[in-house]
Amino acid sequence: MGSRWSVAEPQQSWHVLLLLPVLLIVVITAAAIDSPPDIHLGPTLVIAPALTPSFAGPRTTALVGALAVAAQVVIAVFHGGLTSANHIVQIVTLTLLSVMVTVYCAVRDRRRAQLAQVRSVAEAAQHVLMWPLPEQIGPLRIASLYLAAEDEAQIGGDLYAVTRSDGQVRVLIGDVRGKGLAAIGEAALLLSAFRESAHRDITLPELVAVLEQSVTRYAADRESPEEAGERFATALLIEIPDLDPVTRMTSCGHPPPLLLSPGHAVTVPSLHPSPPLGVHGTRATEHTLDVFSFEPGDTLLLYTDGVIEARDVRRRFYPLADRVTQWTDASPEALIHHVRRDLLTHAGGHLGDDAALIALHRTPSVHRHHHGILGHGGARTGSVSELPGL
């Protein structure tokens, strides 16, 4: 029922709008016939075909143009006949202008169709490459956002993924060097390697080593001598157990997450990042495993540098940590919505780099910790550093 009305309403609106150029032609023709011979209203008929492309296609525009030319002929018959040089010029000019407007309308519609196809392909590629994150996985509620810097694109060099296995959730967020189509290949490689290996019984540093090997092989196969050392990606991997607030993470040159707690508290878990993936081959033992406490009721906000490096008209970076203090009690969906609106306002509606955000909210519930029960009031473990000024 809803779909029927959604189609019928635009058609009805289109027919109503078509009355305007037709009515203009009738009114101008009647006024021109009744006007003195020295007053020429016929040239104003061009308004009708010029107005039509704003709501109709080339066929309707051509019909309105033909109607306007016919009206000009009628005016000529009542004002001196068709042999008048002035009327001949007006008819020819109106015909040419109507043809030009119709051609413009056809070209515009073709480009719109091409753009719609490109958007459709981009959307399909995004869904294939980056599967939509679930709204709930284990004890976590999730909301995400992807903003591509490329015009008309919906995907670029930023990436994220979430998997679940053995009573825990593993999250990847990363940023491939570059943006747009040039970075999609490496982003797809990292996502595939993560999805394939995250379910294995390996530690986060070992998982990072697997991703490192994939990036290194990709660079060896694709990198030209001029691009030596230019292909790399930052990545942050987080492991969140279901029954334990102690959360583990490993960073490869990626910004640390923000931990939002009820009451406008924002902290940054201490992080010891290793170099980005692809800078040089590293072993699992070279990646530091950092731990922090992610309590029920808290929200963990992950992001790429396209967020914090967005600039306003005065070239100031977007102060994400300061801004989110007002939304610490918001749901993941509301938090992402607020940040998106605030970020685009700060950047004047256009980002200079791809940007991605993931909000992970740990639902308030009782969790078993080792041999006891740990609720929201349990003691925090791990190293957490307060943000300056917060």
Side-chain angles (χ1 to χ4, degrees):
M1 187 70 166
S3 61
R4 185 183 69 176
W5 282 112
S6 64
V7 173
E9 187 174 350
Q11 289 181 348
Q12 183 179 5
S13 176
W14 178 83
H15 288 302
V16 172
L17 290 173
L18 182 59
L19 292 176
L20 179 59
V22 174
L23 184 61
L24 280 173
I25 292 175
V26 173
V27 171
I28 292 173
T29 302
I33 293 175
D34 292 337
S35 64
D38 58 336
I39 297 178
H40 304 285
L41 297 178
T44 60
L45 288 169
V46 73
I47 298 175
L51 183 66
T52 307
S54 62
F55 59 85
R59 290 185 180 181
T60 303
T61 302
L63 290 175
V64 172
L67 183 61
V69 172
Q72 180 65 64
V73 172
V74 172
I75 294 173
V77 171
F78 282 89
H79 279 272
L82 294 174
T83 58
S84 170
N86 184 42
H87 289 153
I88 292 175
V89 171
Q90 291 181 18
I91 292 172
V92 172
T93 301
L94 182 58
T95 301
L96 291 176
L97 289 175
S98 298
V99 170
M100 292 175 60
V101 171
T102 302
V103 171
Y104 158 78
C105 188
V107 172
R108 181 204 62 187
D109 284 5
R110 179 178 298 179
R111 290 184 176 178
R112 281 182 177 177
Q114 292 174 344
L115 181 58
Q117 183 178 11
V118 169
R119 285 175 174 170
S120 177
V121 171
E123 184 177 357
Q126 184 184 37
H127 288 166
V128 171
L129 179 58
M130 286 203 309
W131 306 338
L133 300 184
E135 295 181 0
Q136 180 87 32
I137 182 169
L140 304 176
R141 287 180 57 194
I142 302 176
S144 61
L145 171 68
Y146 194 103
L147 295 172
E150 293 285 348
D151 292 336
E152 308 302 342
Q154 298 188 28
I155 193 168
D158 288 7
L159 56 104
Y160 50 71
V162 175
T163 64
R164 175 172 172 78
S165 64
D166 299 330
Q168 63 185 9
V169 176
R170 282 181 168 177
V171 184
L172 164 69
I173 186 168
D175 183 4
V176 174
R177 181 183 182 274
K179 60 184 178 181
L181 297 177
I184 290 179
E186 194 167 346
L189 177 79
L190 278 174
L191 287 170
S192 299
F194 173 77
R195 290 170 182 147
E196 180 67 24
S197 304
H199 297 282
R200 295 165 52 189
D201 186 19
I202 58 177
T203 65
L204 283 187
E206 290 172 338
L207 179 56
V208 172
V210 172
L211 301 183
E212 177 74 44
Q213 292 173 2
S214 298
V215 173
T216 301
R217 285 195 301 266
Y218 181 86
D221 294 337
R222 303 274 184 147
E223 199 173 59
S224 63
E226 295 79 14
E227 294 178 321
E230 294 297 322
R231 290 185 180 272
F232 61 87
T234 67
L236 177 68
L237 290 97
I238 297 182
E239 185 177 86
I240 306 170
D242 291 353
L243 305 178
D244 195 333
V246 176
T247 299
R248 294 169 284 275
M249 65 179 173
T250 296
S251 171
C252 298
H254 200 84
L258 299 179
L259 185 63
L260 284 61
S261 301
H264 306 289
V266 177
T267 55
V268 180
S270 61
L271 195 61
H272 303 84
S274 57
L277 300 171
V279 172
H280 58 73
T282 57
R283 298 170 298 178
T285 55
E286 298 176 356
H287 297 284
T288 302
L289 185 64
D290 296 295
V291 298
F292 64 98
S293 184
F294 183 19
E295 297 282 353
D298 291 347
T299 299
L300 195 61
L301 183 61
L302 316 181
Y303 55 92
T304 58
D305 59 7
V307 177
I308 57 177
E309 292 180 0
R311 296 175 181 265
D312 61 9
V313 293
R314 298 173 60 182
R315 308 300 296 168
R316 295 175 299 183
F317 291 119
Y318 179 66
L320 176 64
D322 293 334
R323 298 294 177 88
V324 296
T325 55
Q326 56 188 315
W327 305 310
T328 56
D329 296 320
S331 66
E333 298 80 6
L335 173 62
I336 292 296
H337 171 75
H338 290 314
V339 173
R340 179 186 185 276
R341 183 178 58 184
D342 194 52
L343 174 64
L344 291 177
T345 300
H346 176 87
H350 179 76
L351 300 178
D353 193 7
D354 302 326
L357 288 145
I358 306 177
L360 307 168
H361 177 76
R362 190 154 202 162
T363 55
S365 59
V366 177
H367 295 267
R368 186 175 302 275
H369 179 54
H370 297 296
H371 300 290
I373 301 294
L374 178 63
H376 182 71
R380 292 180 178 269
T381 61
S383 175
V384 179
S385 58
E386 287 284 345
L387 276 175
L390 293 181

